[in-house]
Amino acid sequence: MEYTYDFFKTSADYVREKIGFEPEIGIILGSSLGPLADEVEDPVVIPYEEIPNFLRSTVSTHAGKLICGKLAGRKVVCMSGRFHYYEGYEFEQLTAPVRLFHLLGCRACILTNAAGGVNLDYKPGDIMLIRDQIVLNGASPLRGKNLPEFGPRFFDVQKMYTPSLRQLALECGEGSGLTFHEGTYFYMTGPHFETPAEIRAIRILGGDAVGMSTVTEALTAAHCGMPCLAFSVITNMAAGVLDQALTDEEVNETGKTVSERLCRYLKKVLERM
Ligand code: HPA
């Protein structure tokens, strides 16, 4: 299918009409980070199914709602639940969330995810601020006909994880009770967790954390010139590091243990953005 500018605009027009304000920051909440959405003041909640031309969440731990309102004094639009290639979406479809933010007028986005720790200095519960990404197995979400209303055909991605926002995020981390790293996110398509051999290869290639999301959203933000800040919650050590099976339960449990501190921290970041 070929997507047009009007295709995305239809979604944004519907949301704009419903919320009646222009959000400043778009936030995508990953696994178990949903509690932040509960703190949005005067929320207007829109289930994804209601939004024309938008996608549907198929993962049970992802709520599938857009929550719009005020958080830490900022007007935000929060996606509680995101979309992944492993759900059956094409890479091109995964531009929808950030294009929605852009069309609603957001001036920056914050992306969060759960990821496996590849770097042996990381521990479950640590936070990795994403400095850069590696995508070797997947297509660009910007393939196909370019839509110049969003951005140019070819575009620079060297600073897609905006350096000034990373600096701000590190400063806000002091006293948060969370342990921060800055590192490289390595994308794997999933839905299976990786093999130990894949993780050894990822480590050699320079990946610090591994996960199944975020890169498409960051690329879409870079395409439309939107500053982007992204965090991984290290929910487990990646395959082969420990002699134990990887499970969705472990990912969700670790997510829950940090979610309160992370929510408090993200609000501090938002205040200063
Ligand atoms: N691999 C891929 N994605 C993940 C992981 C992992 O170990 N943990 C959380 N999301």
Side-chain angles (χ1 to χ4, degrees):
M1 163 149 181
E2 203 166 277
Y3 297 97
T4 61
Y5 181 73
D6 279 345
F7 179 89
F8 296 102
K9 194 171 165 295
T10 301
S11 307
D13 288 347
Y14 179 85
V15 173
R16 189 181 305 106
E17 172 84 27
K18 277 241 152 176
I19 65 179
F21 68 87
E22 183 167 300
E24 300 166 81
I25 315 256
I27 308 174
I28 300 186
L29 298 169
S31 311
S32 306
L33 298 167
L36 190 69
D38 299 336
E39 303 201 23
V40 173
E41 296 157 37
D42 304 324
V44 179
V45 179
I46 312 175
Y48 296 159
E49 307 87 77
E50 248 188 49
I51 306 171
N53 296 348
F54 207 56
L55 311 178
R56 316 264 175 269
S57 257
T58 68
V59 186
S60 64
T61 49
H62 288 247
K65 287 183 286 199
L66 209 60
I67 297 154
C68 314
K70 271 209 158 174
L71 192 59
R74 296 264 167 262
K75 287 181 260 177
V76 298
V77 47
C78 268
M79 278 186 59
S80 183
R82 63 142 58 80
F83 310 112
H84 311 80
Y85 175 72
Y86 66 71
E87 292 175 79
Y89 292 118
E90 297 304 331
F91 282 102
E92 297 90 310
Q93 290 179 280
L94 300 175
T95 56
V98 172
R99 285 188 164 168
L100 176 68
F101 293 167
H102 174 72
L103 290 170
L104 290 174
C106 293
R107 60 176 165 80
C109 64
I110 301 180
L111 314 174
T112 66
N113 64 48
V118 174
N119 186 319
L120 298 173
D121 292 334
Y122 293 6
K123 289 187 202 56
D126 288 357
I127 308 297
M128 185 186 85
L129 208 55
I130 304 181
R131 180 196 286 141
D132 204 348
Q133 70 183 36
I134 300 178
V135 183
L136 298 183
N137 52 354
S140 170
L142 283 315
R143 74 193 276 271
K145 187 175 184 301
N146 185 51
L147 297 177
E149 296 91 338
F150 288 111
R153 169 80 295 179
F154 302 105
F155 57 104
D156 187 78
V157 294
Q158 294 179 81
K159 294 187 177 167
M160 67 174 160
Y161 294 104
T162 311
S164 56
L165 290 179
R166 283 193 275 124
Q167 180 61 34
L168 170 72
L170 282 177
E171 284 168 23
C172 291
E174 283 164 29
S176 65
L178 295 162
T179 302
F180 283 86
H181 308 278
E182 263 195 293
T184 298
Y185 181 89
F186 197 106
Y187 173 74
M188 291 293 273
T189 55
H192 57 285
F193 293 112
E194 300 69 32
T195 66
E198 284 167 340
I199 295 301
R200 287 195 299 276
I202 289 169
R203 191 174 298 119
I204 291 166
L205 290 172
D208 295 297
V210 62
M212 307 173 193
S213 67
T214 305
V215 297
T216 49
E217 298 145 4
L219 285 165
T220 307
H223 183 240
C224 66
M226 183 186 288
C228 171
L229 177 64
F231 301 91
S232 293
V233 178
I234 304 301
T235 51
N236 56 282
M237 291 315 290
V241 176
L242 305 172
D243 186 19
Q244 63 187 48
L246 299 188
T247 64
D248 195 27
E249 285 77 38
E250 183 188 5
V251 170
N252 292 325
E253 281 310 310
T254 312
K256 279 184 203 148
T257 63
V258 294
S259 75
E260 206 181 299
R261 273 170 290 161
L262 190 61
C263 288
R264 211 175 316 127
Y265 164 75
L266 280 176
K267 285 198 281 187
K268 195 165 155 195
V269 173
L270 273 173
E271 266 169 29
R272 291 187 49 190
M273 268 177 84

